[in-house]
Amino acid sequence: MIVVNYVAAAALLSIGLYIVLTRRNLIKMVMGLSIMEASTYLLLISMGYRSGSTAPVLLNPPAGKSPSQLVNGNVADPVLQNFCLTAIVIGVAVSAVFLSVVVRIAQHYRTLDADEVRRMRG
Amino acid sequence: MTGFWVLDYLCLAAILTAAVLVLRLPSLSSAVMAVSAMGTVLSLLFVVLGAPDDAHAEVVVGAIALPALFLIAIGKVRTDVHDRGDLGEREDL
């Protein structure tokens, strides 16, 4: 329970959403989406952290301990870290797809302003 | 334990500062550098929070690959592409 990290993740999500909603530059919008993804990574890793824990890297059991006792050790949660790893890989692919769409729009409409793109007015 | 909290607060302050810089900077290239700084400090915070493998992936993706993608995209939209008909442009859109 690191409350300050949760608050920081919420603030990052808010900043990214504000960038997406208020900026007219399409590349700046993709940057806002990247900031929102970064807030997700921060939230997952902060939820996996326990107080005073170390990395879940295990060479061999400590002296006088059997492997079945290692569940009582103080390590961070590896499951949420693997969720975060998957989210990082998916996030960079999604950003690449968004950027390729933005490049295509810029070549087609000769502008990066979202207000100038008539097809995006809904 | 207090050293952990000092590192935690410093990294969070740097991350939020970089995000506000992305919001406030007028130049696109400067905003890309702010995104790169945010990814770097986020990977450092992952090391502090006990996730070195995620820090590895994040320092490759957030500090190098994603800013490179942004810079390539900015370079491509600033390039004047001569349409030889293969883009399939229509004049009435």
Side-chain angles (χ1 to χ4, degrees), chain A residues 1-2 4-5 8 11-12 15 18-19 22-23 25 27-28 30-32 34-35 38 41-42 45-46 49 51-57 76 80-82 84-85 88 91-92 95-96 99 102-104 106-110 112 119, chain B residues 1 4-5 8-9 12 15-16 18-20 22-29 31-32 35 38 42 45-46 48-54 57-58 61 65-66 69-70 72-74 76-77 79-83 87-90 93:
Chain A
M1 279 298 292
I2 318 178
V4 62
N5 284 39
L12 266 187
I15 291 171
Y18 183 77
I19 291 175
T22 58
R23 300 293 135 175
N25 195 326
I27 289 183
K28 201 57 90 69
V30 183
M31 285 180 197
S34 298
I35 290 176
Y41 311 151
L42 179 59
I45 295 294
S46 303
Y49 182 77
S51 179
S53 68
T54 57
V57 179
L80 287 166
Q81 294 185 6
N82 284 313
C84 177
L85 200 61
I88 288 171
V92 67
S95 297
L99 283 173
V102 166
V103 166
R104 193 67 190 89
Q107 287 176 356
H108 186 89
Y109 291 97
R110 299 284 194 268
L112 271 181
R119 283 293 186 87
Chain B
M1 203 53 203
F4 165 77
W5 286 110
D8 190 32
Y9 277 90
L12 288 180
I15 288 168
L16 289 175
V20 173
V22 173
L23 174 62
R24 300 299 297 171
L25 282 174
S27 166
L28 272 183
S29 304
V32 170
V35 167
M38 190 183 71
L42 193 63
L45 182 60
F46 287 175
V48 173
L49 290 176
D53 45 353
D54 287 322
E58 176 63 29
V61 165
L66 198 62
L69 284 174
F70 276 118
I72 289 167
I74 290 168
K76 282 186 81 70
V77 301
T79 307
D80 194 9
V81 180
H82 178 63
D83 185 15
L87 294 180
E89 302 290 329
R90 301 217 317 257
L93 291 179

Side-chain angles (χ1 to χ4, degrees), chain A residues 8-84:
Chain A
L12 266 187
L13 186 81
S14 306
I15 291 171
L17 192 61
Y18 183 77
I19 291 175
V20 171
L21 290 179
T22 58
R23 300 293 135 175
R24 281 163 57 178
N25 195 326
L26 287 168
I27 289 183
K28 201 57 90 69
M29 286 173 159
V30 183
M31 285 180 197
L33 286 164
S34 298
I35 290 176
M36 289 163 82
E37 288 165 1
S39 77
T40 309
Y41 311 151
L42 179 59
L43 182 67
L44 284 172
I45 295 294
S46 303
M47 286 173 78
Y49 182 77
R50 300 187 183 102
S51 179
S53 68
T54 57
V57 179
L58 203 61
L59 292 176
N60 43 31
K65 296 228 175 185
S66 65
S68 62
Q69 292 174 308
L70 288 174
V71 291
N72 300 321
N74 193 5
V75 295
D77 194 356
V79 178
L80 287 166
Q81 294 185 6
N82 284 313
F83 286 167
C84 177

